[in-house]
Amino acid sequence: MTKTPYAAPATTRPARWATLALTGAALVSVTVGAVLPASAAEPQRAPVTGTVRGHRTVDTAALTALMEPGPMASGTMVRVGGTGHARTRATGPLSQDPAANFRIGSITKLFTSALVLQLVGEGRFTLDTPVQELLPGTLPAHWGPITVGQLLSHTSGLQKPCVDFGEGETPTPEQVVSHWTDPKCAAPQYPVLAQQYNGANYFLLGMVVEKTTGRSYADEVQRRIARPLGLRHTYAPGPGDRAVPGPALTESGEIEPWAWAEGGMISNAPDLERFMTNLLRGRLLKPAQQRQLFVMPALSVGAEDRFSMGGLLRNEIDGTVVWGKTGSMGPSTSGVFATEAGRRTVVYSLLPASRDRELMRKHLTALVGAAL
């Protein structure tokens, strides 16, 4: 499928380019500089204050304190759900509408990995299939094989891009990949010695989805995930679709959705909760592929951010294992995490006020921990 190059305002690209190339940021992917949030609740639903199937109660006092506008974030939205009721609150200048939409950034990767694992379950290819077989001519001929499973788990060995785009230019997926495969760039690490988060992996996987199905990535998200699950606010915008539809969680201006299958989607907190719950409960994948969501590759040992063979970020907070993904786009940093089988879920989106990555990591770990 041929895509037409398109352009966007220059201010939307550089920070995102650095983020997708280098960081997985367990529980944090920070973008600083924006307006801020306020207190939103769902009056028709009871607050989550009780134990959910053996889980501890939500620490509402700690959660309330962490959500107050301050030096870490000028505003925060949190939705706590799972088995039982769900409740959404927001602080600062964020919309009070619990169904407010926002750009989800790299959380998009969870949708991409689900699509890829569905295609594996259909026998279209395997996790061991080299991407060179699926996308002939896309990678340099002298590169060694890079498998679908390596792309999903960030164990492909792909290095940083070594060329950038022109001022004001926004790349197509093919152009993004070309900036990792330029002859001036380093070849992938071989043998691969460590798990290293790299957004290029998911641009390639999005291209695999399109090549294999003959449909656009956006269409496959709707056909295979959004419509079956009733996710009415979840979609992958196309070139030129730069606005977040109302109600929007925050004013973020127009941003070209060039991050595509790596980080270009729009959703809202209820949809992300439903998606994550259904994903973890096996309602999107066949059993063999469902197991891959929780298999940790050997190379993840010792990694700062540990990703499963199915692309899920694994973290442990006060002895509780959580699975999910973070993402940033425009002024916001967001995340979706859940405990085993989605018994407790938390979706957050905030406007970072701190540029200190480690402090923000600790803040978001505490935020998610209070909600579990």
Side-chain angles (χ1 to χ4, degrees), residues 96-157:
Q96 303 301 301
D97 192 324
N101 302 306
F102 56 96
R103 295 182 177 92
I104 65 173
S106 283
I107 297 171
T108 299
K109 290 183 178 68
L110 295 185
F111 291 84
T112 304
S113 64
L115 292 177
V116 170
L117 289 171
Q118 285 181 346
L119 293 171
V120 171
E122 293 168 10
R124 306 289 193 96
F125 48 80
T126 74
L127 292 178
D128 294 325
T129 300
V131 70
Q132 287 93 332
E133 292 183 11
L134 303 172
L135 301 173
T138 301
L139 301 183
H142 66 279
W143 283 16
I146 295 176
T147 68
V148 170
Q150 288 176 314
L151 295 175
L152 281 171
S153 61
H154 297 288
T155 56
S156 65

Coordinates of all heavy atoms in Angstrom, one line a residue, residues 96-157:
Q96 N -14.1 17.9 32.9 CA -14.8 17.2 33.9 C -15.6 16.0 33.3 O -16.2 15.2 34.1 CB -15.8 18.1 34.7 CG -15.1 19.3 35.4 CD -14.0 18.8 36.3 OE1 -14.3 18.1 37.3 NE2 -12.8 19.2 36.1
D97 N -15.7 15.9 32.0 CA -16.4 14.9 31.4 C -15.7 13.6 31.4 O -14.5 13.5 30.9 CB -16.7 15.2 29.9 CG -17.7 14.3 29.2 OD1 -17.7 13.1 29.5 OD2 -18.4 14.8 28.3
P98 N -16.2 12.5 32.1 CA -15.5 11.3 32.2 C -15.2 10.6 30.9 O -14.4 9.6 30.9 CB -16.4 10.4 33.1 CG -17.8 11.0 33.0 CD -17.5 12.5 32.7
A99 N -15.9 11.0 29.8 CA -15.7 10.4 28.5 C -14.9 11.3 27.6 O -14.9 11.1 26.4 CB -17.1 10.1 27.9
A100 N -14.1 12.2 28.2 CA -13.3 13.1 27.4 C -12.2 12.4 26.6 O -11.6 11.5 27.1 CB -12.7 14.2 28.3
N101 N -12.0 12.8 25.4 CA -11.0 12.2 24.5 C -9.7 12.8 24.7 O -9.5 14.0 25.0 CB -11.5 12.3 23.1 CG -12.9 11.8 22.8 OD1 -13.1 10.6 23.1 ND2 -13.8 12.6 22.3
F102 N -8.6 12.0 24.4 CA -7.3 12.5 24.4 C -6.4 11.6 23.5 O -6.7 10.4 23.2 CB -6.7 12.5 25.8 CG -6.7 11.2 26.6 CD1 -5.6 10.4 26.6 CD2 -7.9 10.8 27.3 CE1 -5.6 9.2 27.4 CE2 -7.9 9.7 28.0 CZ -6.8 8.8 28.1
R103 N -5.2 12.2 23.1 CA -4.3 11.4 22.3 C -3.5 10.5 23.3 O -3.0 10.9 24.3 CB -3.3 12.4 21.7 CG -3.9 13.3 20.6 CD -2.9 14.2 20.0 NE -3.4 15.0 18.9 CZ -3.9 16.2 19.1 NH1 -3.8 16.8 20.3 NH2 -4.4 16.9 18.1
I104 N -3.5 9.2 22.9 CA -2.9 8.2 23.8 C -1.4 7.9 23.6 O -0.8 7.1 24.3 CB -3.7 6.9 23.8 CG1 -3.6 6.2 22.4 CG2 -5.2 7.2 24.1 CD1 -4.3 4.8 22.4
G105 N -0.8 8.5 22.6 CA 0.6 8.3 22.3 C 0.9 6.8 22.2 O 0.3 6.0 21.5
S106 N 2.0 6.4 22.9 CA 2.5 5.0 22.7 C 1.6 3.9 23.3 O 1.9 2.7 23.1 CB 3.9 4.9 23.3 OG 4.8 5.5 22.5
I107 N 0.5 4.3 24.0 CA -0.4 3.2 24.3 C -1.0 2.6 23.0 O -1.4 1.4 23.1 CB -1.6 3.8 25.2 CG1 -1.0 4.4 26.5 CG2 -2.7 2.8 25.5 CD1 -2.0 5.2 27.3
T108 N -0.9 3.3 21.9 CA -1.3 2.8 20.6 C -0.6 1.4 20.4 O -1.2 0.5 19.7 CB -0.9 3.8 19.5 OG1 -1.5 5.0 19.7 CG2 -1.2 3.2 18.1
K109 N 0.6 1.2 20.9 CA 1.3 0.0 20.6 C 0.6 -1.2 21.1 O 0.8 -2.3 20.6 CB 2.7 0.1 21.3 CG 3.7 1.0 20.7 CD 5.1 1.0 21.4 CE 6.1 1.9 20.7 NZ 5.7 3.3 20.9
L110 N -0.2 -1.1 22.2 CA -1.0 -2.3 22.6 C -2.0 -2.7 21.6 O -2.3 -3.9 21.4 CB -1.7 -1.9 23.9 CG -0.8 -1.6 25.1 CD1 -1.7 -1.4 26.4 CD2 0.2 -2.7 25.4
F111 N -2.6 -1.8 20.9 CA -3.5 -2.1 19.8 C -2.8 -2.8 18.6 O -3.3 -3.7 18.1 CB -4.3 -0.8 19.3 CG -5.2 -0.3 20.3 CD1 -4.8 0.6 21.3 CD2 -6.6 -0.6 20.3 CE1 -5.7 1.1 22.3 CE2 -7.5 -0.1 21.2 CZ -7.0 0.8 22.2
T112 N -1.6 -2.2 18.3 CA -0.8 -2.8 17.3 C -0.4 -4.2 17.6 O -0.5 -5.1 16.8 CB 0.4 -2.0 17.0 OG1 0.0 -0.6 16.7 CG2 1.3 -2.5 15.8
S113 N 0.1 -4.5 18.8 CA 0.5 -5.8 19.2 C -0.7 -6.8 19.2 O -0.6 -7.9 18.8 CB 1.2 -5.8 20.6 OG 0.3 -5.4 21.6
A114 N -1.9 -6.3 19.6 CA -3.1 -7.2 19.6 C -3.4 -7.6 18.1 O -3.7 -8.7 17.8 CB -4.3 -6.5 20.2
L115 N -3.3 -6.6 17.2 CA -3.6 -6.9 15.8 C -2.6 -8.0 15.3 O -3.0 -8.9 14.6 CB -3.5 -5.7 14.9 CG -4.5 -4.6 15.1 CD1 -4.2 -3.4 14.2 CD2 -5.9 -5.1 14.8
V116 N -1.3 -7.8 15.6 CA -0.3 -8.7 15.1 C -0.5 -10.1 15.7 O -0.4 -11.1 15.0 CB 1.1 -8.2 15.5 CG1 2.2 -9.2 15.2 CG2 1.4 -6.9 14.7
L117 N -0.8 -10.2 17.0 CA -1.0 -11.5 17.6 C -2.3 -12.2 17.0 O -2.3 -13.4 16.9 CB -1.1 -11.3 19.1 CG 0.2 -11.0 19.8 CD1 0.0 -10.7 21.3 CD2 1.2 -12.1 19.6
Q118 N -3.3 -11.4 16.7 CA -4.5 -12.0 16.0 C -4.1 -12.6 14.7 O -4.5 -13.7 14.3 CB -5.5 -10.9 15.8 CG -6.3 -10.5 17.1 CD -7.3 -9.5 16.8 OE1 -7.4 -8.8 15.7 NE2 -8.2 -9.2 17.8
L119 N -3.2 -11.9 13.9 CA -2.8 -12.4 12.6 C -1.9 -13.7 12.8 O -2.0 -14.6 12.0 CB -2.0 -11.3 11.9 CG -2.9 -10.1 11.4 CD1 -2.0 -9.0 10.9 CD2 -3.9 -10.6 10.4
V120 N -1.1 -13.7 13.9 CA -0.4 -14.9 14.2 C -1.3 -16.1 14.5 O -1.2 -17.2 14.0 CB 0.6 -14.7 15.4 CG1 1.2 -16.0 15.9 CG2 1.7 -13.7 15.0
G121 N -2.4 -15.8 15.2 CA -3.4 -16.8 15.6 C -4.1 -17.3 14.3 O -4.6 -18.4 14.3
E122 N -4.2 -16.5 13.3 CA -4.9 -16.9 12.1 C -3.9 -17.6 11.1 O -4.3 -18.0 10.0 CB -5.4 -15.7 11.4 CG -6.6 -15.0 12.1 CD -6.9 -13.6 11.6 OE1 -6.4 -13.3 10.5 OE2 -7.7 -12.9 12.3
G123 N -2.7 -17.8 11.5 CA -1.7 -18.5 10.7 C -1.1 -17.7 9.5 O -0.5 -18.3 8.6
R124 N -1.3 -16.4 9.6 CA -0.8 -15.5 8.5 C 0.8 -15.5 8.5 O 1.4 -15.4 7.5 CB -1.3 -14.1 8.6 CG -2.8 -14.0 8.7 CD -3.5 -14.3 7.4 NE -4.9 -13.8 7.4 CZ -5.3 -12.7 6.9 NH1 -4.4 -11.8 6.4 NH2 -6.6 -12.4 7.0
F125 N 1.3 -15.6 9.7 CA 2.8 -15.7 9.9 C 3.0 -16.1 11.3 O 2.0 -16.3 12.1 CB 3.5 -14.3 9.6 CG 2.8 -13.1 10.2 CD1 3.0 -12.8 11.6 CD2 2.0 -12.3 9.5 CE1 2.5 -11.7 12.2 CE2 1.4 -11.2 10.1 CZ 1.6 -10.9 11.4
T126 N 4.2 -16.3 11.7 CA 4.5 -16.7 13.1 C 5.4 -15.7 13.8 O 5.9 -14.7 13.1 CB 5.3 -18.1 13.2 OG1 6.6 -17.9 12.7 CG2 4.6 -19.1 12.3
L127 N 5.6 -15.8 15.1 CA 6.5 -14.9 15.8 C 7.9 -15.0 15.3 O 8.7 -14.1 15.5 CB 6.4 -15.1 17.3 CG 5.1 -14.8 18.0 CD1 5.1 -15.1 19.5 CD2 4.7 -13.3 17.8
D128 N 8.2 -16.2 14.7 CA 9.6 -16.4 14.2 C 9.8 -16.0 12.8 O 10.9 -16.2 12.2 CB 10.0 -17.9 14.4 CG 10.0 -18.3 15.9 OD1 10.5 -17.4 16.7 OD2 9.7 -19.4 16.2
T129 N 8.7 -15.5 12.1 CA 8.8 -15.1 10.7 C 9.7 -13.8 10.6 O 9.4 -12.8 11.3 CB 7.5 -14.8 10.1 OG1 6.7 -16.0 10.2 CG2 7.6 -14.4 8.7
P130 N 10.7 -13.8 9.8 CA 11.5 -12.6 9.6 C 10.6 -11.5 8.9 O 9.9 -11.8 8.0 CB 12.7 -13.0 8.7 CG 12.7 -14.5 8.9 CD 11.3 -15.0 9.1
V131 N 10.8 -10.3 9.4 CA 10.0 -9.2 8.8 C 10.4 -9.0 7.4 O 9.7 -8.5 6.5 CB 10.2 -7.9 9.7 CG1 11.6 -7.4 9.6 CG2 9.1 -6.9 9.2
Q132 N 11.7 -9.4 7.0 CA 12.1 -9.3 5.7 C 11.3 -10.1 4.7 O 11.1 -9.7 3.5 CB 13.6 -9.7 5.5 CG 14.6 -8.7 6.1 CD 14.9 -9.0 7.6 OE1 14.1 -9.6 8.3 NE2 16.1 -8.7 8.0
E133 N 10.7 -11.2 5.2 CA 9.8 -12.0 4.3 C 8.5 -11.3 4.1 O 7.8 -11.5 3.0 CB 9.6 -13.4 4.9 CG 10.8 -14.3 5.0 CD 10.5 -15.7 5.5 OE1 9.3 -16.0 5.7 OE2 11.5 -16.4 5.8
L134 N 8.0 -10.6 5.1 CA 6.7 -10.0 5.0 C 6.8 -8.6 4.4 O 5.8 -8.2 3.8 CB 6.1 -9.8 6.5 CG 6.0 -11.1 7.2 CD1 5.6 -10.8 8.7 CD2 5.0 -12.0 6.6
L135 N 7.9 -7.9 4.4 CA 8.1 -6.6 3.9 C 9.3 -6.6 3.0 O 10.3 -6.0 3.3 CB 8.2 -5.5 4.9 CG 7.0 -5.4 5.9 CD1 7.4 -4.4 7.1 CD2 5.8 -4.9 5.2
P136 N 9.3 -7.3 1.9 CA 10.5 -7.4 1.0 C 11.0 -6.1 0.6 O 10.3 -5.2 0.2 CB 10.1 -8.3 -0.2 CG 8.8 -8.8 0.2 CD 8.2 -8.0 1.3
G137 N 12.4 -5.9 0.7 CA 13.0 -4.7 0.3 C 12.9 -3.5 1.3 O 13.5 -2.4 1.0
T138 N 12.2 -3.7 2.4 CA 12.1 -2.6 3.4 C 13.4 -2.4 4.2 O 13.8 -1.3 4.5 CB 10.9 -2.8 4.3 OG1 9.7 -3.0 3.5 CG2 10.7 -1.7 5.3
L139 N 14.0 -3.5 4.5 CA 15.3 -3.4 5.3 C 16.5 -3.7 4.4 O 16.3 -4.4 3.4 CB 15.2 -4.4 6.5 CG 14.0 -4.2 7.5 CD1 14.2 -5.3 8.6 CD2 14.0 -2.8 8.0
P140 N 17.6 -3.2 4.8 CA 18.8 -3.4 4.0 C 19.1 -4.9 3.8 O 18.9 -5.7 4.7 CB 19.9 -2.7 4.8 CG 19.2 -1.6 5.5 CD 17.9 -2.2 5.9
A141 N 19.6 -5.3 2.6 CA 19.8 -6.7 2.3 C 20.9 -7.3 3.2 O 20.8 -8.5 3.4 CB 20.1 -6.8 0.8
H142 N 21.8 -6.5 3.7 CA 22.9 -7.1 4.4 C 22.5 -7.2 5.9 O 23.3 -7.8 6.7 CB 24.2 -6.2 4.3 CG 24.0 -4.8 4.9 ND1 23.4 -3.8 4.3 CD2 24.4 -4.4 6.1 CE1 23.5 -2.7 5.1 NE2 24.1 -3.0 6.2
W143 N 21.4 -6.8 6.3 CA 21.0 -7.0 7.7 C 20.6 -8.4 7.9 O 20.0 -9.1 7.0 CB 19.8 -6.1 8.0 CG 20.1 -4.7 8.3 CD1 21.3 -4.0 7.9 CD2 19.3 -3.7 8.9 NE1 21.2 -2.7 8.3 CE2 20.0 -2.5 8.9 CE3 18.0 -3.7 9.4 CZ2 19.5 -1.3 9.4 CZ3 17.5 -2.5 10.0 CH2 18.2 -1.3 10.0
G144 N 20.8 -8.9 9.1 CA 20.4 -10.3 9.5 C 18.9 -10.3 9.7 O 18.2 -9.2 9.8
P145 N 18.3 -11.5 9.8 CA 16.8 -11.6 10.0 C 16.4 -10.9 11.3 O 17.1 -11.0 12.4 CB 16.6 -13.1 10.1 CG 17.8 -13.7 9.5 CD 18.9 -12.8 9.8
I146 N 15.3 -10.2 11.3 CA 14.6 -9.6 12.4 C 13.2 -10.2 12.4 O 12.5 -10.0 11.5 CB 14.6 -8.1 12.4 CG1 16.0 -7.5 12.5 CG2 13.8 -7.5 13.5 CD1 16.1 -6.0 12.3
T147 N 12.8 -10.9 13.5 CA 11.6 -11.6 13.5 C 10.4 -10.7 14.0 O 10.7 -9.7 14.7 CB 11.6 -12.8 14.4 OG1 11.8 -12.5 15.7 CG2 12.8 -13.7 13.9
V148 N 9.2 -11.1 13.8 CA 8.0 -10.4 14.3 C 8.1 -10.4 15.8 O 7.8 -9.4 16.4 CB 6.8 -11.1 13.8 CG1 5.5 -10.6 14.5 CG2 6.6 -11.0 12.3
G149 N 8.5 -11.5 16.4 CA 8.5 -11.6 17.9 C 9.5 -10.6 18.4 O 9.3 -10.0 19.5
Q150 N 10.6 -10.4 17.8 CA 11.6 -9.5 18.2 C 11.1 -8.0 18.2 O 11.4 -7.2 19.0 CB 12.9 -9.6 17.4 CG 13.7 -10.9 17.7 CD 14.9 -11.0 16.8 OE1 14.8 -10.8 15.6 NE2 16.1 -11.4 17.4
L151 N 10.4 -7.7 17.1 CA 9.8 -6.4 17.0 C 8.8 -6.2 18.2 O 8.8 -5.1 18.8 CB 9.1 -6.2 15.7 CG 10.0 -6.2 14.4 CD1 9.1 -6.2 13.2 CD2 11.0 -5.1 14.4
L152 N 7.9 -7.1 18.4 CA 6.9 -7.0 19.5 C 7.5 -6.8 20.8 O 7.1 -6.0 21.6 CB 6.0 -8.3 19.5 CG 4.9 -8.4 18.5 CD1 4.3 -9.8 18.6 CD2 3.8 -7.4 18.7
S153 N 8.6 -7.5 21.1 CA 9.2 -7.5 22.5 C 10.4 -6.5 22.6 O 11.1 -6.5 23.6 CB 9.7 -8.9 22.8 OG 10.7 -9.3 21.9
H154 N 10.6 -5.7 21.6 CA 11.8 -4.7 21.6 C 13.1 -5.4 21.8 O 14.0 -4.9 22.6 CB 11.5 -3.6 22.7 CG 10.3 -2.8 22.5 ND1 10.2 -1.8 21.5 CD2 9.1 -2.8 23.1 CE1 9.0 -1.3 21.5 NE2 8.3 -1.8 22.5
T155 N 13.3 -6.5 21.1 CA 14.6 -7.2 21.2 C 15.1 -7.4 19.8 O 15.8 -8.3 19.4 CB 14.4 -8.6 21.8 OG1 13.4 -9.4 21.1 CG2 14.0 -8.5 23.3
S156 N 14.8 -6.4 18.9 CA 15.2 -6.4 17.5 C 16.6 -6.0 17.3 O 17.2 -6.3 16.3 CB 14.3 -5.5 16.7 OG 14.5 -4.2 17.0
G157 N 17.2 -5.3 18.3 CA 18.6 -4.7 18.1 C 18.6 -3.5 17.3 O 19.7 -3.0 17.0

